[in-house]
């Protein structure tokens, strides 16, 4: 039996299925979670399908979560999408289910779950969920809303089909999804738009960007600047790609100071592998897009030096 067949078998066995995704969700976390929920609800109307994980921050245009109390987990199948390791699962109650399934596209460095389907060749977890639907089309149904969510996930994780993770298959899946009835231009706008206060902060980011002659760059966003502009860490995602728009920049990090004084690092690259750096600093992710943590500015400096080294080696 293939892993896809095993997963479908488990889904059929359970009356209640609770779907989780990662903390600080992005469009792919919510798209894969919500897209799978839509497919399962439409295909098995007699089952209870719930979406758990708490706040979706500024992505309320995509989806809303269900309130899922602990009792609901008894005898339930829990499926987690787009989440590399168990500590990053949003909603710690996930562990109270009867069986756990992981579906993801991140490197499988810290496996979890009774069943696990990881495809690192997929642009996004939403693409994998579409593939699951596609493989069992005779038994599964995809709704317009499900297609909207999966499309959002693919657009989000490929940077609108710009990143190297965009394969001919990704475009084929996106094309198939566009056959469904949803407002794709509106969705693209909603994903790309940002509040004025965040747009203004992009001025600070570009003014204060530090660039090495190798092509490495970094931006440190102090708490004082976030507070001054009334911007939360969870609202800074739109600032990450900015440095990459500069022609000479090859790899970069956005380091956002947290209220506790430590830093959330968000690393991006046009070529050099940077998840090895993230892994050394309490993080992980994809080869060209990963996240980590730095306890203080000294660790930020160390991480920046490692980015410089990675770029030099690549050049
Ligand atoms: P971000 O910079 O938060 O958008 O994350 C980029 C990628 O790195 C995503 O695929 C995340 O799942 C992953 N990632 C971010 N932070 C961490 C972390 N602390 N540990 C492991 N993976 C992370």
């Amino acid at each position: 039996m293939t892993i896809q067949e095993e997963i479908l078998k488990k889904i059929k066995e359970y009356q209640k299925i609770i779907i989780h995704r990662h903390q600080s969700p992005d469009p792919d976390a919510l798209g894969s979670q919500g897209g799978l929920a839509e497919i399962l609800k439409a295909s098995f109307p007699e089952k209870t399908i719930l979406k758990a994980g708490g706040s979706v921050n500024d992505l309320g245009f995509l989806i809303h979560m269900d309130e899922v109390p602990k009792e609901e987990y008894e005898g339930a199948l829990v499926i987690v999408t787009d989440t590399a390791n168990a500590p990053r699962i949003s909603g710690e109650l996930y562990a109270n289910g009867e069986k756990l399934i992981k579906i993801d596209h991140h490197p499988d460095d810290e496996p979890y779950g009774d069943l696990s389907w990881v495809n690192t060749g997929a642009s996004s977890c939403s693409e994998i969920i579409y593939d699951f639907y596609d493989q069992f089309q005779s038994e599964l149904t995809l709704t317009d809303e499900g297609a909207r969510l999966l499309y959002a996930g693919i657009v989000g994780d490929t940077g609108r089909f710009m990143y190297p993770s965009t394969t001919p298959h990704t475009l084929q899946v996106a094309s198939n999804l566009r056959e469904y009835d949803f407002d794709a231009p509106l969705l693209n706008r909603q994903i790309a738009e940002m509040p004025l206060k965040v747009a203004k902060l992009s001025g600070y980011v570009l003014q204060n960007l530090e660039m090495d002659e190798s092509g490495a760059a970094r931006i440190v966003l102090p708490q004082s600047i976030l507070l001054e502009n009334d911007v939360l860490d969870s609202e800074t995602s739109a600032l990450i790609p900015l440095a990459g728009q500069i022609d000479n920049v090859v790899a970069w990090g956005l380091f956002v100071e947290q209220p506790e004084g430590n830093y959330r690092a968000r690393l991006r690259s046009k070529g050099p592998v940077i998840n090895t750096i993230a892994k050394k600093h309490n993080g992980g992710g994809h080869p060209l897009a990963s996240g980590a943590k730095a306890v203080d500015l000294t660790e930020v400096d160390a991480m920046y030096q490692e980015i410089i080294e990675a770029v030099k080696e690549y050049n």
Side-chain angles (χ1 to χ4, degrees):
M1 218 189 255
T2 64
I3 184 67
Q4 294 91 323
E5 287 165 344
E6 281 187 67
I7 290 174
L8 183 59
K9 185 166 171 267
K10 273 281 163 279
I11 287 170
K12 286 178 180 168
E13 274 171 27
Y14 281 81
Q15 168 54 28
K16 195 185 297 166
I17 301 168
I18 305 173
I19 310 176
H20 282 248
R21 37 72 191 175
H22 65 75
Q23 299 160 356
S24 310
D26 52 21
D28 188 36
L30 300 175
S32 56
Q33 176 191 34
L36 179 60
E38 278 290 316
I39 291 168
L40 298 186
K41 273 188 209 172
S43 312
F44 307 104
E46 71 290 354
K47 292 188 192 294
T48 304
I49 312 293
L50 297 166
K51 296 161 292 191
S55 169
V56 300
N57 296 325
D58 53 352
L59 296 174
F61 64 87
L62 267 184
I63 196 170
H64 294 284
M65 294 292 110
D66 299 307
E67 284 292 327
V68 191
K70 192 173 176 186
E71 313 81 77
E72 289 279 12
Y73 285 81
E74 211 184 307
L77 171 65
V78 175
I79 303 179
V80 182
T81 67
D82 197 38
T83 310
N85 52 3
R88 268 180 64 79
I89 299 172
S90 194
E92 57 203 27
L93 290 176
Y94 82 87
N96 292 287
E98 193 173 285
K99 277 270 181 290
L100 182 65
I101 296 178
K102 170 187 187 179
I103 303 179
D104 190 27
H105 72 129
H106 295 90
D108 201 11
D109 294 326
E110 296 175 56
Y112 63 87
D114 302 297
L115 288 177
S116 170
W117 178 18
V118 174
N119 176 6
T120 54
S123 69
S124 52
C125 194
S126 297
E127 183 179 316
I128 300 177
I129 299 298
Y130 180 84
D131 287 341
F132 182 66
Y133 155 72
D134 194 37
Q135 184 174 345
F136 301 110
Q137 274 209 31
S138 57
E139 297 177 77
L140 299 177
T141 304
L142 177 61
T143 60
D144 292 333
E145 176 59 6
R148 184 182 81 96
L149 287 161
L150 296 179
Y151 190 79
I154 295 173
V155 166
D157 255 33
T158 61
R160 296 197 208 155
F161 309 107
M162 183 175 82
Y163 303 142
S165 57
T166 310
T167 64
H169 179 67
T170 310
L171 295 168
Q172 191 63 58
V173 170
S175 166
N176 294 346
L177 290 169
R178 283 291 295 265
E179 297 287 344
Y180 289 78
D181 186 17
F182 65 91
D183 191 341
L186 170 67
L187 186 60
N188 287 329
R189 277 204 308 279
Q190 287 171 320
I191 293 172
E193 279 169 359
M194 63 184 98
L196 179 62
K197 59 183 186 178
V198 178
K200 283 185 174 168
L201 208 50
S202 57
Y204 177 91
V205 166
L206 293 172
Q207 294 284 353
N208 292 276
L209 175 133
E210 188 182 329
M211 198 175 149
D212 180 78
E213 58 191 10
S214 63
R218 73 162 155 184
I219 307 106
V220 178
L221 262 184
Q223 263 297 310
S224 56
I225 295 292
L226 291 180
L227 287 171
E228 216 173 276
N229 289 277
D230 188 28
V231 170
L232 299 169
D233 173 34
S234 59
E235 296 173 304
T236 57
S237 309
L239 304 173
I240 308 173
L242 288 177
Q245 291 170 6
I246 299 165
D247 51 5
N248 287 330
V249 169
V250 180
W252 65 100
L254 175 70
F255 300 91
V256 184
E257 189 183 6
Q258 305 297 304
E260 301 77 24
N262 56 331
Y263 291 81
R264 175 177 179 193
R266 314 186 79 174
L267 311 181
R268 297 294 186 270
S269 168
K270 294 178 186 171
V273 169
I274 38 87
N275 61 351
T276 43
I277 300 171
K279 279 183 215 167
K280 276 207 260 175
H281 298 274
N282 236 311
H286 305 283
L288 305 184
S290 45
K293 288 173 196 138
V295 288
D296 52 21
L297 275 179
T298 308
E299 192 172 357
V300 169
D301 286 343
M303 236 187 269
Y304 182 46
Q305 283 309 318
E306 288 165 33
I307 299 173
I308 293 173
E309 290 312 317
V311 174
K312 281 185 179 163
E313 213 169 288
Y314 180 78
N315 288 342

